[in-house]
Amino acid sequence: MRGKYTGVSRGWLGLFSLIYTVLLIVFGVGLSFALTFGRETQMRRALTNSASLTSFQQTITASAVKVATGADIPVVPQGNLVTKKMLARGLRTGLAVSANFGQVPQKSKAIDWAFISTNPDSASKLTLAPMLKEIDQRTAASLSKQGQAYPAAIRTQVKAAVQEHFNQVILDTMMAHGIGLAYPMFALFTQTAAIVGGILAVIVLLVMRAVSHSWSRWLRVSGRITYLIALLAGLGALLAAVPAFAPYIKLSGVGTPVILQMQAQFVPVWQHVAGIVAIVGLVMAGLGQLLRLREKRTPASN
């Protein structure tokens, strides 16, 4: 079998080794992202933990106060104008709808039907009515505690301004044309990359086996490539966990605290994937080395 391994065979093995390297990277990245960003449960957990909800709460409150004080309210409302519980309900519902390509999944337990629009003419399947109602009530309560009058005419004006603002920022900009549109496509892309990359990598491995002319050579070459790429991926995952990178990651409407929560939750999954692939590569290379030693001893025993 060793005599069949010629210069041409080496060339083909080198070529398909390069192809396998690229496909392994596509498979590893696709699988890592599919297991994190591509899983609605993982995203839901990252978006609705305490730290993320606090960030969203502060952002929405600041935005609501800015709109309210621009509508003839001389006193600034104090405190959070929306609760974490309300935000969690809205985020879970919005994520479920987004993950289903803008359609309402009828059997999803994440759906809060209070956030689903009943208006057949609405461009969005979502409504912010529960959140807007809470903002209005908490604004009125805050102003009352401060001794600030809140006439009905002013309150109606503020409610309309806040509703217009958040419908534009959340339903239109973020959900219809931003993250809400990009997220399901990204999830589908990563899942497809993992599946297609994995299938093609297996096919290329079979071709490499044919041009290797021996199990030992095939195991050594493919194993070394596998664990080297996995080690590089592991180093990349370690770098991705560095908190200093979080401020440079820009997602519309998502603050740095939320990015940090995603890092904390997703990076360990990427590290585990890299570790498992590295172990598979080491086992393959080890078996190849053992077979090689056995091949060298066999002629001597004869």
Side-chain angles (χ1 to χ4, degrees):
M1 298 296 288
R2 295 174 62 86
K4 296 180 180 179
Y5 190 61
T6 64
V8 175
S9 297
R10 290 188 181 91
W12 282 116
L13 183 59
L15 174 62
F16 284 105
S17 294
L18 290 175
I19 296 174
Y20 172 66
T21 300
V22 174
L23 291 174
L24 183 61
I25 293 173
V26 171
F27 167 73
V29 173
L31 179 62
S32 297
F33 281 10
L35 291 175
T36 51
F37 292 106
R39 293 182 64 186
E40 184 190 335
T41 53
Q42 291 286 340
M43 284 291 291
R44 188 190 310 153
R45 192 176 297 117
L47 293 177
T48 58
N49 63 30
S50 181
S52 295
L53 289 175
T54 298
S55 176
F56 285 123
Q57 190 179 46
Q58 293 172 348
T59 300
I60 288 180
T61 294
S63 187
V65 167
K66 184 177 180 180
V67 174
T69 53
D72 299 330
I73 297 181
V75 177
V76 178
Q78 296 179 348
N80 289 311
L81 300 184
V82 62
T83 62
K84 289 183 179 180
K85 183 178 180 180
M86 180 65 69
L87 280 175
R89 290 166 53 196
L91 285 168
R92 285 195 295 265
T93 303
L95 182 62
V97 171
S98 175
N100 199 42
F101 291 89
Q103 301 301 313
V104 181
Q106 301 297 317
K107 297 182 179 179
S108 174
K109 295 181 180 179
I111 294 292
D112 185 329
W113 292 96
F115 281 91
I116 300 300
S117 176
T118 58
N119 182 5
D121 299 325
S122 176
S124 173
K125 301 295 183 181
L126 298 171
T127 175
L128 301 177
M131 186 184 77
L132 295 172
K133 181 179 179 181
E134 184 173 78
I135 290 175
D136 173 60
Q137 293 174 342
R138 293 173 76 87
T139 299
S142 174
L143 295 178
S144 177
K145 287 182 181 179
Q146 298 177 75
Q148 169 68 33
Y150 199 25
I154 299 297
R155 184 169 183 173
T156 300
Q157 177 188 351
V158 171
K159 285 174 62 177
V162 170
Q163 178 175 341
E164 181 181 2
H165 171 72
F166 282 116
N167 282 345
Q168 175 67 30
V169 171
I170 297 177
L171 295 186
D172 185 59
T173 303
M174 291 182 63
M175 293 301 299
H177 301 99
I179 295 175
L181 179 64
Y183 172 67
M185 295 303 299
F186 179 75
L188 180 62
F189 174 78
T190 57
Q191 292 164 5
T192 302
I195 295 171
V196 175
I199 293 173
L200 291 179
V202 171
I203 293 174
V204 171
L205 280 174
L206 295 176
V207 176
M208 289 173 63
R209 169 64 186 91
V211 299
S212 295
H213 295 299
S214 72
W215 283 101
S216 62
R217 185 177 291 113
W218 175 73
L219 286 169
R220 292 198 315 274
V221 172
S222 57
R224 288 168 183 171
I225 294 173
T226 300
Y227 73 70
L228 285 175
I229 293 300
L231 289 177
L232 291 175
L235 291 175
L238 289 175
L239 289 176
V242 177
F245 290 136
Y248 299 99
I249 302 175
K250 303 297 182 182
L251 295 175
S252 177
V254 178
T256 299
V258 182
I259 300 298
L260 288 171
Q261 294 304 307
M262 289 185 179
Q263 279 183 313
Q265 184 170 314
F266 295 167
V267 169
V269 176
W270 302 343
Q271 293 172 341
H272 290 158
V273 170
I276 292 172
V277 175
I279 291 173
V280 171
L282 287 170
V283 170
M284 292 173 67
L287 288 174
Q289 191 63 31
L290 290 175
L291 288 175
R292 184 185 185 186
L293 293 174
R294 182 180 178 184
E295 289 175 356
K296 287 182 176 181
R297 291 171 182 170
T298 300
S301 63
N302 293 333

